[in-house]
Amino acid sequence: MSLLRLVGRPLLASMFVAGGMSSVRSPKDVTPLAEPVVNPIRERVPVLPERTEQVVRLSGGVQVAAGVLLGLGRMPRLSALALAATLVPTTLAGHRYWDAEDDSTRAQQRIHFLKNLSMLGGLLIAADDTGGAPSMLWRSRHTARGLQRNAGLVRRTVRATAGPAAAVGGIKARLPH
């Protein structure tokens, strides 16, 4: 693993572990902000809990677990995708700068909104990062091409040897025993 990955993943994950712990410990602090975002999501994803407080706690738990895994470099691509999935509703719920009434609050919320967009970009890059190793999709395609090449080689070999083998077999059949 490169030094940049070794240092960068825990740095990226730290914000999610800290924020997730806060959501797990005291979800009531953000439940009023989350309500307008959670309700439309709950309509599309019926497996989510009924109470917004539980959804906030669940999201926080996902952030803690995925953040720790990303920081440790375990399943980093899946962890980054999970964090990205929780970051979008968190950003839309927590940093609605367009609804802020005074200019200083609007400016501060816009900064946080853009910071979260930057973190989302980092997570998407981390989700695409194979760490120098080929992805599963590439490996499966590469293996399939190799199998096709080998099958073609076997087919050509059988064709090339079938004629002479048949001729030898015919000659042997005519010889006295």
Side-chain angles (χ1 to χ4, degrees), residues 63-157:
Q63 286 181 345
V64 170
V68 168
L69 288 172
L70 179 63
L72 294 174
R74 302 284 184 226
M75 297 187 294
R77 298 177 76 194
L78 182 61
S79 301
L81 280 176
L83 290 171
T86 64
L87 183 60
V88 171
T90 300
T91 301
L92 292 174
H95 304 297
R96 302 173 68 87
Y97 69 90
W98 52 91
D99 288 342
E101 297 196 10
D102 63 81
D103 289 340
S104 66
T105 304
R106 184 176 299 117
Q108 183 181 15
Q109 288 303 319
R110 186 180 306 117
I111 288 169
H112 288 297
F113 183 86
L114 293 173
K115 171 200 51 112
N116 281 14
L117 285 183
S118 299
M119 289 172 46
L120 180 61
L123 289 170
L124 294 177
I125 290 169
D128 190 47
D129 179 27
T130 60
S135 69
M136 292 294 285
L137 179 62
W138 183 89
R139 287 186 277 190
S140 64
R141 286 180 179 165
H142 186 72
T143 301
R145 282 190 208 112
L147 290 173
Q148 285 176 338
R149 266 188 254 113
N150 290 343
L153 180 61
V154 167
R155 188 174 43 250
R156 287 190 302 275
T157 303

